[in-house]
């Protein structure tokens, strides 16, 4: 697969919500069996996939989009000592840490990465290294009583932010909220809440369609037809193309020429 075809199609983004259903961050992973560009020095497929995830977050465009939100990276244990982690945004990236590898908490902290202790639903650690401010419990493995006991144990160890993972229902969310969890993840939270949906405006739908077409590398003619249905978006794109930063000798007046000049990958990011 050519490098310019890689793009955002590989990334899977799961929202991280607070108790008021507000998105405060995302967990990034890769689609199963996705073929990713391999950086020099990668020794196996797992390392190549992890390094692609890391470079996706190091990317300046992603940092701008991230803002104040935090990012969880789904990395394999072998990648927790990768020196590339030092290039991640300081204090904004959380990396899950198996309970059996708490010795890596300090090296992660030295690289300004926030370690997250994963509850393995078996034993409970007697102590945690300094800097372990996050812990995540899998709600699908515990009843409410057990979940509350484990949550209280992690608080006594110094954890400041408890994350409820694998929330599958409104009832599970309410239980975790009453138990004092601060952050929440799960398939249920990716669905619209009953009674709280709202009809998407036509302009939003058009932008979503254009994003899907761009991701699929649709012909320029199809993209041009989509832009012509949205005058405001066409004006914004031409204004961006003709900005002094792009250094064009002659301004572009045709949306088709502008799309050909820009290309699919830059257009998707724009």
């Amino acid at each position: 697969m050519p490098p310019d075809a890689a793009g955002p199609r590989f990334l899977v983004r799961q929202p991280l919500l607070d108790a008021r259903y507000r998105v405060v961050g995302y967990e990034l992973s890769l689609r199963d069996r996705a073929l990713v560009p391999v950086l020099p020095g990668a020794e196996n497929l797992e390392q190549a996939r992890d390094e692609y995830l890391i470079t996706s977050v190091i990317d300046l465009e992603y940092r701008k989009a991230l803002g104040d939100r935090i990012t969880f990276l789904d990395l394999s244990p072998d990648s927790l000592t990768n020196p590339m982690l030092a290039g991640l945004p300081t204090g904004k990236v959380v990396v899950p840490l198996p309970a059996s590898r708490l010795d890596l908490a300090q090296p992660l902290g030295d690289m300004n990465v926030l370690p997250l202790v994963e509850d393995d639903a078996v034993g409970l650690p007697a102590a945690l290294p300094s800097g372990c401010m996050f812990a995540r419990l899998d709600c699908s493995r515990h009843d409410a009583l057990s979940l509350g006991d484990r949550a209280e144990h992690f608080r006594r160890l110094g954890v400041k932010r408890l994350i409820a993972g694998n929330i599958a229902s409104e009832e599970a969310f309410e239980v975790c909220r009453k138990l004092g969890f601060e952050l929440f993840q799960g398939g249920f939270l990716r669905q619209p809440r009953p009674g709280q949906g709202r009809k998407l405006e036509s302009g939003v739908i058009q932008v979503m369609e254009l994003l899907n077409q761009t991701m699929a590398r649709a012909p320029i003619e199809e993209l041009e037809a989509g832009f012509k249905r949205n005058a405001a978006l066409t004006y914004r794109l031409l204004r961006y193309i003709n900005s002094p930063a792009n250094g064009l000798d002659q301004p572009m007046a045709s949306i088709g020429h502008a799309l050909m000049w820009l290309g699919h990958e830059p257009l998707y990011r724009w």
Side-chain angles (χ1 to χ4, degrees):
M1 178 174 293
D4 61 350
R9 283 176 288 171
F10 294 152
L11 295 177
V12 177
R13 190 175 67 171
Q14 180 183 162
L16 184 71
L17 277 61
D18 66 9
R20 297 173 62 186
Y21 285 92
R22 296 177 301 188
V23 176
V24 297
Y26 297 96
E27 180 163 14
L28 293 186
S29 58
L30 288 173
R31 295 186 187 278
D32 291 339
R33 296 182 295 277
L35 298 176
V36 299
V38 178
L39 297 178
E43 298 179 357
N44 52 57
L45 179 59
E46 193 172 62
Q47 181 183 350
R49 291 169 64 86
D50 285 352
E51 289 184 349
Y52 183 83
L53 267 181
I54 296 170
T55 55
S56 298
V57 181
I58 292 176
D59 181 79
L60 292 178
E61 292 295 329
Y62 181 83
R63 293 196 191 198
K64 291 178 185 177
L66 179 61
D68 293 330
R69 295 185 177 95
I70 58 177
T71 296
F72 284 30
L73 283 185
D74 181 16
L75 302 178
S76 64
D78 289 341
S79 294
L80 298 181
T81 56
N82 193 316
M84 291 178 63
L85 294 172
L88 294 170
T90 301
K92 291 186 178 180
V93 178
V94 180
V95 173
L97 191 65
S100 60
R101 298 304 310 272
L102 295 180
D103 57 298
L104 295 176
Q106 186 60 50
L108 286 173
D110 292 341
M111 290 187 286
N112 297 311
V113 176
L114 304 173
L116 174 144
V117 180
E118 290 275 28
D119 177 25
D120 59 10
V122 183
L124 287 169
L128 294 177
S130 61
C132 290
M133 310 300 287
F134 292 82
R136 179 164 58 188
L137 283 72
D138 187 339
C139 298
S140 66
R141 294 177 171 177
H142 308 285
D143 58 27
L145 183 59
S146 174
L147 196 62
D149 290 341
R150 299 181 86 88
E152 184 57 34
H153 179 83
F154 278 105
R155 288 195 191 94
R156 288 196 297 267
L157 296 182
V159 169
K160 302 299 182 185
R161 305 194 79 176
L162 280 171
I163 302 158
N166 279 337
I167 294 178
S169 66
E170 180 81 35
E171 293 76 14
F173 177 82
E174 289 300 330
V175 167
C176 292
R177 184 159 58 176
K178 290 177 181 178
L179 289 174
F181 284 82
E182 288 83 13
L183 303 175
F184 308 85
Q185 289 179 294
F188 163 76
L189 299 174
R190 297 196 293 270
Q191 304 169 6
R193 296 178 64 199
Q196 293 196 350
R198 60 187 178 91
K199 186 177 180 180
L200 290 177
E201 298 176 0
S202 60
V204 176
I205 295 175
Q206 289 172 356
V207 171
M208 293 170 65
E209 290 174 347
L210 283 168
L211 279 170
N212 289 332
Q213 287 179 312
T214 305
M215 185 183 296
R217 306 182 72 78
I220 295 298
E221 294 77 11
E222 292 183 19
L223 293 173
E224 182 179 7
F227 269 90
K228 287 181 177 178
R229 291 195 293 269
N230 191 318
L233 195 63
T234 298
Y235 170 77
R236 288 176 57 195
L237 179 61
L238 289 174
R239 187 175 63 177
Y240 165 72
I241 292 291
N242 292 319
S243 65
N246 287 319
L248 298 179
D249 295 331
Q250 297 290 333
M252 288 189 185
S254 164
I255 189 66
H257 290 163
L259 293 170
M260 290 180 63
W261 180 86
L262 193 59
H264 289 88
E265 186 69 20
L267 175 63
Y268 185 95
R269 290 200 298 266
W270 177 82

